[in-house]
Amino acid sequence: MLSLLPLLLCIFSSTIRAAQGPSPRPSVVHVGALLTFDSTIGRVAKVAIDAAREDVNSDPAVLAGTRLDIEMRDTNCSGFLGMAEDWLSSLLDSKGPLSSYTMSTMQGIITLRQHTEESERKSDLISRWGNLTRKESGNFRLNSYGFYAYDTVWMLAKAIDSFFDDGGIISFSNDSRLQDSTAGTLHLDAMNIFNGGDLLLDKVRSTHFDGSTGVFQFDSDGNLIHPAYDIINVIGTGSRTIGYWSNYSGLSVVPPETLYTKPLNVSPSRDQLYSVIWPGETTIRPRGWVFPNNGKELKIGYPLRVGYTEFVSKSPTTDTAKGYCIDVFTAAVNLLPYAVPFKLIPFGDGHDNPNYTALVNMVATQEFDAAVGDIAIVTSRTKIVDFTQPYLSSGLVILAPIRRRKSNAWAFLQPFTLEMWCVIGILFIMIGTVVWTLEHRLNDEFRGPPRKQLITIFWFSFSTLFFAHRESTVSTLGRSVLLIWLFVVLIIQSSYTASLTSILTVQKLSTTVEGIESLRTGNGFIGFQVGSFAENYMVEELRIPRSRLKALSPEEYAGALELGSDNGGVTAIVDELGYVEIFLSKNCQFSIVGPEFTKNGWGFVFQRDSPLAVDMSTAILTLSENGDLQRIHDKWFTRAACFSESEEIDSERLSLSSFWGLFLICGISCFLALVIYLTGVIYQYIHLPSTHQQDPSSHRMPKLGRSLREFFSFLNDKEEDVQKRYSQRGHKPDGDVSVNLET
Ligand code: SER
């Protein structure tokens, strides 16, 4: 409506002219109006303007005898209609989670018309342009525009009347600014300017009257005060007002003019509407709107799988699609906020798995509206169709046969790493030496000629491995060290036994294929699942000659792998993890080699820019987050019965990292025992006379020149002999070291 006003005024100010003589009140005032005749608004406004002109002129009191003449001209401007449509869209969008493509349907159910108060004049006007409204039935904006056009003419008449009352004179003059400086064809200098423009504009702005639309008044910015809309529920060919919207009160079931008199926050009816009667004569809000496909159900293709029918296939009994992918699709569709009627159409000959890329192409060429199934999301396909988010990740892997590892003569060395073997060896010798040192002075079994003692060290230490050492230990320190060492030996022994058992039994499997790189550079045949994108991937991305590739159905996998490349089979098969996991659950003699070398997933296919792809992605993410996706997966697939056996034996070998704690305890105990022992011996050596210390005056401290040899010789002395020497001298060392050492 507001855009209609400047249209009239603009023309008015340049065409109004005095019709007769110098009288301040001319007999006729000519007003020009620009309208788009060939538009809904234009048609109704034309009728309304004519009606208003007649009404103004039929009442001489309005303009005190002056006649109003309105000349209407056609223009193609339809900006207002566009603006109104935009407004309606944005308002409806903000009212709920409706996608923009549901708008056309929505507008058919709920629409808006500019709000006007009920009045006798309004009913009268409706009956006067009734023929026209009937012709335009279904358009609820029609009457409102008519009322506003009608009121605008009245507003103008009242403003002109007030203009004359205030001494306004209709006169025109030349303006120096209107000059055609470019000497063009506009002839601006021939135009005149209406001298009373400012006064008339003031009168328009201050207009205040009770029009057919209610109180007609502008605010300081020239906008109509309290614009409002009726919210209409269209039911069949009729309609019902379910509430109002105004910029003052918001949504409400109470007419805005009632609310204008009340403070906003006390209105209990704010933001409420009467319930909508939806198609089907129901007040229950529908789950959503039918996906607009011209009333037709979507044609959705699905691959007619022959192998791994758990994913998707046709039920032989009911002839309908079934499988994991179909269940995921149905669950996702059920989460959409609108209904999507669809029909699943099988694609494939029923003898071999169909070509999935061909299925995707059929969506791109619009033979199918969408495709559902175990369809891998790959770049070449995403260029022509839109995919949903993946509902299952399934990259390419290598499937290869695994063979029994031949028994190795050196298998007994495998439980420990080389480093571990070295450390164990050193520990044995160390323990032998420590125990010998601790026992040497007390125990005859650790005495004798040097050669014999050396053998004793080795024999003693290694025999502890079998707890078969003959020599008894007599010293407390020796026994302590031996006790800890025997515990370490126990652990080493049992770990060795366990590890060797595992290597000789479980880890007897190996495969000739090492990974995708060795497969690519080799010469053997490589299998792929018939119809899969894996074929093109290997040719185009991995540059493997097509002649090396063999299409296999899943039933042929086992046979081809067992035959091997040289006997008409294949070296390995490249297929998606989703299928391979199922294959391995029934065929334990094969294994996945290496990791997934592509990170694909399966998604549903839609035509380019289909809004369904986005909404379905959201639905799939919801299924994933609430655990339904996993539940559907578990319903269709059981866990794999056998696992990949291809781990390297190395990973099973026991290394130092598992034992260093044990070895540390052992080392510390040896060290402490030696320190205690040597402290005692040195004390004894310093304080007590020996055969090596004949000079009694020097028994307190060893002289610097005393040779190391003497000390070692003392060390070599039997404890018994040393004690004898004490008794001969009648001297007993402080602290009774000998007793301490012997017990
Ligand atoms: N999932 C495969 C593909 O999409 C078929 O095996 O090509």
Side-chain angles (χ1 to χ4, degrees):
M1 186 61 229
L2 293 177
S3 66
L4 195 63
L5 291 171
L7 200 68
L8 282 167
L9 287 174
C10 170
I11 304 305
F12 171 85
S13 57
S14 63
T15 60
I16 193 164
R17 59 186 162 81
Q20 280 179 3
S23 162
R25 283 238 178 200
S27 58
V28 182
V29 174
H30 294 276
V31 176
L34 278 178
L35 299 170
T36 307
F37 289 173
D38 189 22
S39 72
T40 307
I41 296 174
R43 274 191 291 277
V44 76
K46 199 159 171 273
V47 176
I49 289 169
D50 275 339
R53 190 198 51 207
E54 275 172 31
D55 289 357
V56 166
N57 290 335
S58 66
D59 184 354
V62 179
L63 277 169
T66 302
R67 199 166 57 81
L68 185 67
D69 182 30
I70 300 178
E71 284 179 34
M72 286 180 268
R73 293 277 187 274
D74 191 15
T75 170
N76 287 323
C77 165
S78 60
F80 179 57
L81 187 62
M83 278 164 52
E85 295 283 356
D86 287 350
W87 185 88
L88 181 64
S89 303
S90 63
L91 183 74
L92 288 178
D93 263 354
S94 70
K95 288 301 298 162
L98 295 168
S99 311
S100 57
Y101 56 87
T102 65
M103 272 302 301
S104 54
T105 320
M106 186 72 187
Q107 277 175 311
I109 307 296
I110 301 173
T111 190
L112 306 162
R113 76 167 169 229
Q114 275 166 303
H115 175 70
T116 58
E117 282 179 70
E118 293 301 326
S119 65
E120 264 181 45
R121 189 181 303 157
K122 207 168 133 184
S123 319
D124 173 49
L125 289 173
I126 288 172
S127 64
R128 277 167 60 185
W129 57 65
N131 282 344
L132 183 69
T133 55
R134 270 195 289 280
K135 256 191 264 162
E136 300 276 348
S137 68
N139 190 324
F140 289 85
R141 288 180 289 253
L142 186 68
N143 288 339
S144 311
Y145 295 143
F147 297 132
Y148 275 96
Y150 182 87
D151 282 355
T152 302
V153 174
W154 270 93
M155 176 271 298
L156 196 58
K158 285 173 185 295
I160 291 169
D161 183 48
S162 180
F163 172 81
F164 288 138
D165 283 351
D166 275 10
I169 296 170
I170 294 181
S171 65
F172 300 89
S173 61
N174 277 324
D175 191 297
S176 56
R177 287 168 294 176
L178 287 173
Q179 280 178 3
D180 212 352
S181 55
T182 55
T185 51
L186 286 175
H187 300 297
L188 287 178
D189 39 6
M191 295 177 82
N192 291 326
I193 284 194
F194 173 50
N195 296 326
D198 289 343
L199 179 60
L200 184 63
L201 189 57
D202 273 355
K203 296 295 166 196
V204 166
R205 283 205 163 136
S206 55
T207 320
H208 183 184
F209 70 101
D210 196 15
S212 67
T213 55
V215 176
F216 204 102
Q217 193 181 358
F218 295 106
D219 62 15
S220 55
D221 294 330
N223 294 321
L224 207 56
I225 289 177
H226 296 327
Y229 290 86
D230 292 350
I231 299 171
I232 310 293
N233 180 192
V234 182
I235 307 156
T237 53
S239 71
R240 165 176 162 261
T241 301
I242 54 169
Y244 307 90
W245 178 89
S246 76
N247 64 350
Y248 175 79
S249 57
L251 289 173
S252 166
V253 291
V254 181
E257 49 275 12
T258 315
L259 294 173
Y260 294 149
T261 56
K262 293 181 184 170
L264 263 181
N265 53 2
V266 296
S267 164
S269 54
R270 191 176 154 83
D271 282 351
Q272 282 179 8
L273 294 175
Y274 290 122
S275 49
V276 178
I277 296 176
W278 303 98
E281 306 303 313
T282 174
T283 51
I284 299 167
R285 190 188 162 118
R287 185 165 56 83
W289 303 95
V290 173
F291 181 77
N293 191 36
N294 299 327
K296 289 181 281 179
E297 53 190 8
L298 296 180
K299 283 190 292 173
I300 299 183
Y302 71 91
L304 193 57
R305 285 198 66 89
V306 179
Y308 303 138
T309 49
E310 301 93 320
F311 289 109
V312 53
S313 67
K314 192 159 79 171
S315 161
T317 47
T318 58
D319 236 21
T320 50
K322 69 174 178 72
Y324 165 69
C325 306
I326 301 295
D327 279 5
V328 173
F329 179 74
T330 316
V333 165
N334 287 340
L335 287 182
L336 294 180
Y338 44 83
V340 179
F342 63 86
K343 184 176 161 201
L344 290 166
I345 301 164
F347 173 75
D349 58 12
H351 299 297
D352 283 316
N353 285 343
N355 186 313
Y356 279 57
T357 303
L359 175 61
V360 171
N361 282 335
M362 285 180 75
V363 177
T365 56
Q366 308 194 342
E367 284 164 82
F368 286 131
D369 295 307
V372 168
D374 45 341
I375 304 167
I377 305 169
V378 288
T379 323
S380 57
R381 295 175 184 174
T382 53
K383 286 179 184 161
I384 52 172
V385 290
D386 278 357
F387 276 91
T388 59
Q389 288 284 315
Y391 58 87
L392 188 90
S393 69
S394 180
L396 287 176
V397 289
I398 301 169
L399 178 66
I402 41 177
R403 284 197 225 109
R404 295 210 157 255
R405 187 184 289 274
K406 277 196 187 140
S407 201
N408 185 333
W410 303 101
F412 72 92
L413 288 175
Q414 283 172 356
F416 293 143
T417 58
L418 180 63
E419 192 188 27
M420 181 77 181
W421 279 122
C422 292
V423 171
I424 290 175
I426 292 167
L427 271 180
F428 270 107
I429 293 166
M430 186 188 89
I431 292 295
T433 313
V434 168
V435 173
W436 174 84
T437 311
L438 298 174
E439 290 291 315
H440 179 66
R441 299 180 74 217
L442 298 171
N443 193 339
D444 279 340
E445 286 180 277
F446 288 87
R447 298 184 73 82
R451 193 167 150 269
K452 187 187 162 229
Q453 290 187 46
L454 203 64
I455 292 169
T456 305
I457 289 174
F458 276 95
W459 167 250
F460 176 82
S461 59
F462 283 101
S463 60
T464 56
L465 186 61
F466 313 102
F467 307 106
H469 45 286
R470 253 182 358 203
E471 296 77 6
S472 54
T473 41
V474 293
S475 72
T476 311
L477 289 172
R479 282 174 180 171
S480 314
V481 168
L482 189 63
L483 197 71
I484 293 170
W485 172 242
L486 287 179
F487 178 69
V488 174
V489 166
L490 178 77
I491 303 289
I492 292 177
Q493 207 186 49
S494 43
S495 307
Y496 177 86
T497 314
S499 177
L500 187 64
T501 311
S502 124
I503 288 169
L504 294 180
T505 54
V506 182
Q507 299 292 334
K508 276 183 180 169
L509 309 162
S510 74
T511 170
T512 50
V513 183
E514 281 162 22
I516 189 64
E517 199 48 37
S518 73
L519 197 63
R520 195 174 74 84
T521 50
N523 296 318
F525 286 106
I526 304 168
F528 64 90
Q529 194 181 156
V530 60
S532 169
F533 77 96
E535 179 187 13
N536 280 347
Y537 178 82
M538 284 190 279
V539 173
E540 285 160 21
E541 304 293 329
L542 302 180
R543 306 264 168 231
I544 297 174
R546 209 177 280 271
S547 55
R548 280 184 60 204
L549 304 182
K550 275 191 182 175
L552 301 169
S553 70
E555 293 72 39
E556 293 169 329
Y557 278 15
L561 285 171
E562 266 158 12
L563 276 178
S565 193
D566 297 338
N567 301 314
V570 293
T571 311
I573 289 169
V574 169
D575 200 359
E576 287 169 87
L577 186 62
Y579 307 117
V580 172
E581 274 177 348
I582 297 185
F583 177 80
L584 287 179
S585 68
K586 295 166 192 157
N587 299 274
C588 293
Q589 68 275 41
F590 307 104
S591 167
I592 293 171
V593 180
E596 276 177 272
F597 56 92
T598 65
K599 295 283 173 209
N600 301 98
W602 293 345
F604 303 129
V605 180
F606 290 93
Q607 285 170 8
R608 261 316 196 21
D609 300 324
S610 166
L612 264 179
V614 181
D615 291 351
M616 284 292 280
S617 291
T618 312
I620 287 170
L621 291 178
T622 310
L623 288 178
S624 162
E625 282 161 18
N626 67 16
D628 282 352
L629 207 52
Q630 189 58 45
R631 276 188 279 279
I632 297 172
H633 187 272
D634 294 346
K635 175 187 150 193
W636 285 96
F637 307 106
T638 46
R639 275 198 175 279
C642 39
F643 298 91
S644 165
E645 310 280 9
S646 60
E647 290 104 317
E648 285 294 309
I649 283 199
D650 270 351
S651 65
E652 289 299 310
R653 280 195 176 148
L654 300 173
S655 71
L656 207 52
S657 59
S658 323
F659 289 92
W660 69 264
L662 203 59
F663 293 162
L664 188 70
I665 293 170
C666 183
I668 289 173
S669 67
C670 286
F671 177 74
L672 287 179
L674 280 178
V675 167
I676 295 168
Y677 172 76
L678 285 175
T679 313
V681 171
I682 291 169
Y683 180 87
Q684 210 177 32
Y685 182 70
I686 294 168
H687 290 89
L688 300 176
S690 72
T691 49
H692 312 283
Q693 290 174 286
Q694 294 305 322
D695 182 4
S697 63
S698 63
H699 75 273
R700 282 182 301 276
M701 276 286 287
K703 290 240 166 74
L704 279 175
R706 198 176 302 278
S707 69
L708 221 56
R709 200 163 152 245
E710 279 177 350
F711 178 68
F712 281 119
S713 166
F714 175 75
L715 272 183
N716 196 30
D717 283 351
K718 253 189 118 182
E719 181 69 24
E720 229 173 280
D721 299 340
V722 175
Q723 295 300 332
K724 265 184 207 152
R725 250 179 279 144
Y726 293 144
S727 19
Q728 281 164 10
R729 298 259 169 170
H731 183 91
K732 205 75 176 139
D734 292 343
D736 198 5
V737 173
S738 64
V739 174
N740 283 344
L741 291 171
E742 280 172 28
T743 52

